Amino acid sequence: MSKSAKGSHHPLDDLLRTDRIPHIWCPGCGIGTAFSACLMAMKASGIDLERTAMVSGIGCSGRGAGYVKLDSYHTTHGRAIPFATGMKLARPELNVVVFSGDGDLFAIGGNHFIHAARRNVDLTVVCVNNLNYGMTGGQVAATTPSGSKTTTTPVGNPEAPFNLPLLAFASGATYVSRWTILHSRELTESIEEGLVKKGFSFIEVLAPCPVNYGRRNRQRPMDTLRAYQEKSIIMNDADPTRLQIDFDRAIILGKFVDTERPTCVESYDRTCRPPMEPADEEKAA
Amino acid sequence: MTLWRIPLDSDEIEVPRGEVYILADRCKGCGYCIEFCPKKVLQFSKEFNAKGYHPPEVAKEEECVNCHFCEIICPEFAIYSVEVQTGES
């Protein structure tokens, strides 16, 4: 028999507001796993957790900021990245992690995402992609695969979804990867790399939404994880244009982009606050 | 796991042993830990927890190799494993 674990503590309890656990996420929801991978990566990366802040927007994944025992912001819908950018510009020594969902980051917050990636703001963005608007009842989202059924597309989604890694790459992100919650070891390593890396890091996490997406597409949570196991191909440095999510063929996972570029703060300082010439310094004195 | 030959250094390698701890009242019964345990150590228990779900229980205690996969796949922070010192090393 297992130990009943009364009085014992989960290794992540020191990073959790345990009075708010159990969290609101449904049984079988993948956000919990993505969140735990994020916390594990924060612990393992050795960054100063006193100088780390987590920012999330609205939605199921947006609840993440409320469960972490660090400085955290639960912001307005779609505005997680602007809040995080502001925080980073005001206090460049902070490590800022954005933990939010696909609807928040790519539908209402899509413009903020592309511009933060373009400016190369030093953020780590973890996007939990559950392929629909889970919290509001499973409506079609910008990431719902073509043909999938949702409450607002009862005969199948006629539109094409966003290819998120391609969008991040084209906007100028310096680190782009995609994993599923089943690949949680790789996911944790990837978030850790993103945290340590200077520049805009984007990690997409595929997660099941059994209650709102799975139920309408005849997928039990275990079926979704089986699909992740059987349909996924790990291909690091894959061509971002080939990363469209299509469960009939294959889902490509891996680390796609890892480059260096001056960050927002560095370019700003170089352009607008150039080091003073000796002659100017004398004048100022 | 079946091996097509016994590794040459098999007598030197010490397989770690783990002990699984379950925080039953946090569990929501998704079954990911049971399904994806590489050693099939866990099974659903017959008892209910406070929320009315069946949490996992350890079926094959001696099989656990402390890989922590149950701990990292669990969305509820409800299970973890700790290495058991066998005292041989």
Side-chain angles (χ1 to χ4, degrees):
Chain A
M1 265 306 287
S2 64
K3 296 279 158 64
S4 65
K6 279 230 169 80
S8 63
H9 297 285
H10 190 276
L12 291 174
D13 272 2
D14 54 341
L15 279 182
L16 284 173
R17 296 185 201 213
T18 43
D19 51 325
R20 311 188 99 207
I21 300 290
H23 49 60
I24 59 145
W25 298 318
C26 310
C29 173
I31 301 171
T33 308
F35 186 61
S36 113
C38 191
L39 297 186
M40 255 184 275
M42 280 182 177
K43 253 189 166 179
S45 65
I47 55 170
D48 183 2
L49 294 177
E50 293 289 313
R51 287 167 182 271
T52 303
M54 193 184 251
V55 187
S56 23
I58 298 297
C60 291
S61 319
R63 305 287 299 208
Y67 295 124
V68 65
K69 212 201 281 178
L70 298 171
D71 290 336
S72 60
Y73 277 88
H74 192 186
T75 68
T76 44
H77 197 8
R79 280 31 166 176
I81 289 179
F83 274 80
T85 306
M87 209 186 299
K88 189 74 196 175
L89 292 179
R91 297 277 303 275
E93 74 276 13
L94 287 181
N95 302 299
V96 186
V97 183
V98 176
F99 184 88
S100 208
D102 54 308
D104 185 70
L105 287 171
F106 288 96
I108 185 167
N111 244 318
H112 298 303
F113 179 88
I114 57 175
H115 289 287
R118 173 178 66 82
R119 295 187 183 113
N120 199 21
V121 187
D122 186 8
L123 304 175
T124 306
V125 179
V126 181
C127 170
V128 182
N129 183 358
N130 59 9
L131 310 176
N132 77 128
Y133 290 123
M135 185 167 264
T136 49
Q139 290 84 357
V140 67
T143 45
T144 308
S146 305
S148 293
K149 288 178 183 160
T150 65
T151 16
T152 43
T153 54
V155 292
N157 178 19
E159 298 170 1
F162 263 137
N163 174 349
L164 300 184
L166 175 62
L167 182 66
F169 166 70
S171 313
T174 52
Y175 183 96
V176 180
S177 71
R178 173 198 275 162
W179 296 103
T180 76
I181 62 147
L182 188 63
H183 300 77
S184 50
R185 269 187 224 281
E186 292 91 334
L187 170 64
T188 309
E189 271 170 35
S190 187
I191 299 177
E192 202 183 318
E193 277 179 43
L195 283 168
V196 175
K197 192 172 172 70
K198 245 186 175 180
F200 192 89
S201 313
F202 171 65
I203 297 114
E204 179 187 3
V205 191
L206 294 178
C209 176
V211 171
N212 272 323
Y213 182 83
R215 182 159 56 99
R216 299 196 169 84
N217 290 285
R218 314 225 161 210
Q219 267 185 356
R220 293 182 165 275
M222 214 59 90
D223 302 335
T224 316
L225 262 71
R226 284 261 168 260
Y228 291 163
Q229 195 174 27
E230 287 156 14
K231 298 272 171 76
S232 62
I233 301 172
I234 296 175
M235 201 190 284
N236 289 321
D237 302 317
D239 177 6
T241 55
R242 295 177 55 202
L243 302 176
Q244 198 70 269
I245 291 178
D246 182 356
F247 281 93
D248 295 331
R249 291 161 65 201
I251 332 159
I252 298 173
L253 309 176
K255 179 169 87 178
F256 310 122
V257 178
D258 191 355
T259 54
E260 297 289 336
R261 207 155 68 81
T263 64
C264 177
V265 175
E266 284 168 2
S267 322
Y268 183 83
D269 283 349
R270 208 181 49 224
T271 316
C272 308
R273 294 174 182 153
M276 277 188 176
E277 297 285 321
D280 293 339
E281 263 175 42
E282 274 169 32
K283 260 184 227 164
Chain B
M1 195 163 72
T2 49
L3 299 166
W4 58 276
R5 69 167 175 79
I6 294 165
L8 296 172
D9 57 352
S10 65
D11 52 337
E12 289 164 31
I13 286 176
E14 197 188 322
V15 179
R17 278 260 292 110
E19 192 168 34
V20 180
Y21 287 80
I22 297 159
L23 299 142
D25 283 344
R26 283 189 185 178
C27 179
K28 290 182 193 157
C30 67
Y32 291 166
C33 55
I34 298 169
E35 181 73 17
F36 292 102
C37 173
K39 294 293 216 175
K40 302 282 170 233
V41 170
L42 301 162
Q43 65 181 26
F44 277 112
S45 68
K46 296 232 162 29
E47 285 95 59
F48 293 100
N49 68 5
K51 289 199 294 281
Y53 296 106
H54 292 286
E57 64 178 14
V58 178
K60 292 184 273 182
E61 199 179 349
E62 66 290 346
E63 290 278 294
C64 177
V65 294
N66 199 34
C67 74
H68 295 288
F69 197 71
C70 53
E71 183 181 321
I72 61 177
I73 195 83
C74 177
E76 307 292 332
F77 310 98
I79 187 168
Y80 62 96
S81 71
V82 176
E83 186 162 356
V84 179
Q85 296 301 332
T86 46
E88 286 166 23
S89 51

